[in-house]
Amino acid sequence: MALLPVCLLGLCGMVVFVAAGLFLFRALKHTPTARPKDDDVFLMQARENLLPWDSDPLEDLAACWQGQWNIASGVGMRGWARGAVKSLGQPEAEGYLAFSLDRPEAKIAHLSIWTSNEEIAMEFHLEKTFPIHGEALIRVNNQTFGRIHIPEGELFDATGNPAGGYKRSATVIHSARRVPDSYRPVTMHDRTIAELTSVWMRQPYRFRGRYYRAITPLPAPWPALRHIRAGLDPDETTWLLAVIGLELFYNATMQGDNW
C-alpha cells in the first residue's frame, strides 16, 4: 500500500512530461511562415492609398489596425504582421500609417512605419522575451533618430542624450472597459506631449490560421492618443509615431490571436 502514492506520483509525472512534449511539438509544427514575398508590393499599394499627413491627424488616429498577421504563440514568438492604422473620422479609408513587422527570431524584430511623407524604421534587439527587456533603435528616412529602452520606456536621441519617456501600461485585457485605464503619458524634456493607450484592436480576427470578420459587433474604435499638446515640433511628432510603433510591436506579437 505504501507504494501506491509513489506509483501515482510517477504516473502524474509521466502525464505532465508527455503533455509538455505534445505542446512543444505542436508549437514547432505550427511555426509561422516567413515574411510574405509580396510584402513590398503590399506596402507600396497601402502607402499610395494612405490619407495625407499634411495637417495634424494625430487626434484622428484610432487605436485600431487592419491587416494580416501570422505569429507563433507559446514558443518563440516568431512571425510577421502588416497593415494600416485606421482613422476615427474616416474608418473606411486606408488609414494614416502603413506598417510591416518581421520577427524572424524571438529576440529580433524589424518594424517599418510609413506615413504619406515619412518612413520610420525600428529594430528591436531583446535580451529577454518574458517579460521583454531590450531596446528599439529608430531611424527616420534612413537617418539615426534615437532609441527606446524597454521596459523602462526611456527615450534617447541620436546623440545618446535623454529625450523623454513613455512607460506603457501593463493593461493587456482586451476589453473596451479597460481603455480609460490604459493611457500613459509620453514626455519630452519633462513635458507631457500626449497620452497613448496600450489597448489596440486588430481587424479582421484570426482563428486557427484563417482570417474572419468578427461575428459579434466590435466596440467603436477609441483614440490612440489623447491630451495632445498644441504646437508639437516635428521631432515630437516623430517620437509619438515611434511609441505607437512600440505598441504595434506589442499588439502584433505579444497579445494573442485577437484584439
Side-chain angles (χ1 to χ4, degrees), residues 40-227:
D40 292 336
V41 175
F42 174 90
L43 290 167
M44 184 180 298
Q45 293 175 345
R47 187 174 183 179
E48 289 175 352
N49 295 320
L50 288 176
L51 293 169
W53 195 274
D54 54 5
S55 55
D56 188 8
L58 290 173
E59 293 185 354
D60 193 39
L61 288 178
C64 171
W65 62 271
Q66 184 170 343
Q68 304 166 339
W69 63 94
N70 195 354
I71 301 292
S73 59
V75 176
M77 289 294 182
R78 294 168 291 166
W80 57 271
R82 63 188 187 183
V85 175
K86 306 299 286 183
S87 159
L88 290 169
Q90 304 179 64
E92 299 303 319
E94 184 73 23
Y96 287 106
L97 308 175
F99 74 92
S100 172
L101 172 68
D102 183 24
R103 193 171 182 181
E105 301 178 20
K107 294 184 177 182
I108 297 175
H110 308 278
L111 175 67
S112 296
I113 302 172
W114 287 268
T115 68
S116 61
N117 57 11
E118 187 174 55
E119 178 182 352
I120 300 174
M122 302 178 68
E123 294 185 9
F124 291 82
H125 299 275
L126 307 179
E127 299 171 4
K128 293 172 56 180
T129 56
F130 294 102
I132 285 183
H133 283 265
E135 66 177 7
L137 307 178
I138 307 164
R139 294 178 63 84
V140 178
N141 297 330
N142 291 321
Q143 300 295 319
T144 300
F145 182 78
R147 68 182 189 274
I148 304 174
H149 282 187
I150 308 169
E152 299 86 356
E154 298 168 334
L155 313 180
F156 296 89
D157 64 20
T159 63
N161 293 319
Y166 169 62
K167 183 68 172 178
R168 69 184 303 272
S169 169
T171 299
V172 295
I173 297 176
H174 297 154
S175 168
R177 294 191 301 272
R178 299 298 300 273
V179 171
D181 301 327
S182 70
Y183 287 88
R184 292 294 183 271
V186 182
T187 61
M188 299 297 300
H189 306 295
D190 299 323
R191 296 187 304 173
T192 297
I193 62 172
E195 294 181 353
L196 174 64
T197 180
S198 62
V199 180
W200 287 64
M201 281 197 298
R202 316 179 205 177
Q203 297 177 350
Y205 277 67
R206 176 178 180 269
F207 180 68
R208 293 181 180 174
R210 299 180 64 186
Y211 297 95
Y212 298 87
R213 292 288 180 184
I215 297 175
T216 57
L218 292 173
W222 45 89
L225 297 160
R226 69 180 187 184
H227 305 325

